[in-house]
Amino acid sequence: MSRPLRIALVAAIPLVAALAWALCRLPEDATPKPPAVSASAPPLAPAPSRTAEPDNRPAPESVVPSTPAAPRNAIASSARSGSPEDSGLRGRPVEGPLSAEITTSGGVIRSAPDALGRFPRVNIAPEEEVRVSVAYAEAQPGDLVVVQAEDGGVLEGSRTALPLKLDADRRLRFAFKSTREGGIYRVTLRRGFEERRLEFWGGKEPVVVGN
């Protein structure tokens, strides 16, 4: 072996030794590993399931069929609501602070005034005389009542106005007679500031034709 070769081998020995020492210092497994999971770590919660949301929309309104309006009468009855045949007042007793009893050729009619002080209309024949008795339950005997025929006819045979006093029964009694002409006859009863009205219809009422 030549001298230069020996010198090169001697110089390489320390390098080989250093490389061997470095290889021994490397870890057995240099492959990177994932981080370890601790056993005490809480498990991951599962993803919440999607639930159906309640439908808050208002329910559709039910449709109710409308009731058709009743047709208007073409011809109204000649009997008015105030007539005894229609109101059923004939022969029926009436209770209240004020009531009337009218004796006609057709019978006795008992009635009471409405909120406006008007008694129901009574049908009578032309030139018929009727007897009227009006009871004032809340008045006093001797109270003055002025009776007046407003549309013709006569009271007690010949008068159109008649001052009368209530009797012991707190009643007012008089006779009224219509003329031969048909139509309405109003008789007013005035007691102080209180006013009531009787209505009669002489003859047959005309038929009322609706629109």
Side-chain angles (χ1 to χ4, degrees), residues 89-94 98-104 107-113 119 122 130-136 171-175 189 198 200:
L89 296 174
R90 186 181 296 277
R92 188 180 67 181
V94 175
L98 189 64
S99 61
E101 183 177 287
I102 303 172
T103 304
T104 69
V108 178
I109 300 169
R110 298 179 176 89
S111 61
F119 285 86
V122 176
V130 297
R131 299 296 305 178
V132 180
S133 174
V134 182
Y136 286 81
R171 282 187 172 274
L172 185 73
R173 294 179 172 87
F174 63 91
L189 311 175
L198 298 165
F200 302 94

Side-chain angles (χ1 to χ4, degrees), residues 79-209:
R80 295 285 299 275
S81 59
S83 64
E85 293 80 8
D86 185 58
S87 60
L89 296 174
R90 186 181 296 277
R92 188 180 67 181
V94 175
E95 298 180 358
L98 189 64
S99 61
E101 183 177 287
I102 303 172
T103 304
T104 69
S105 58
V108 178
I109 300 169
R110 298 179 176 89
S111 61
D114 59 15
L116 300 178
R118 299 173 301 188
F119 285 86
R121 184 177 297 179
V122 176
N123 285 44
I124 58 177
E127 296 185 300
E128 179 180 355
E129 184 176 79
V130 297
R131 299 296 305 178
V132 180
S133 174
V134 182
Y136 286 81
E138 297 179 351
Q140 297 296 325
D143 284 356
L144 179 66
V145 179
V146 177
V147 184
Q148 184 170 354
E150 304 285 350
D151 305 294
V154 291
L155 302 167
E156 294 295 334
S158 61
R159 305 181 64 176
T160 57
L162 190 65
L164 297 173
K165 291 185 178 181
L166 300 181
D167 61 15
D169 296 328
R170 292 176 290 187
R171 282 187 172 274
L172 185 73
R173 294 179 172 87
F174 63 91
F176 172 76
K177 184 178 181 180
S178 63
T179 68
R180 66 178 62 185
E181 297 180 0
I184 191 170
Y185 293 90
R186 292 173 297 181
V187 177
T188 303
L189 311 175
R190 294 184 179 90
R191 172 178 164 266
F193 294 102
E194 180 185 79
E195 182 175 306
R196 299 291 183 265
R197 189 174 68 197
L198 298 165
E199 287 191 5
F200 302 94
W201 186 274
K204 185 178 180 181
E205 290 191 63
V207 175
V208 179
V209 179

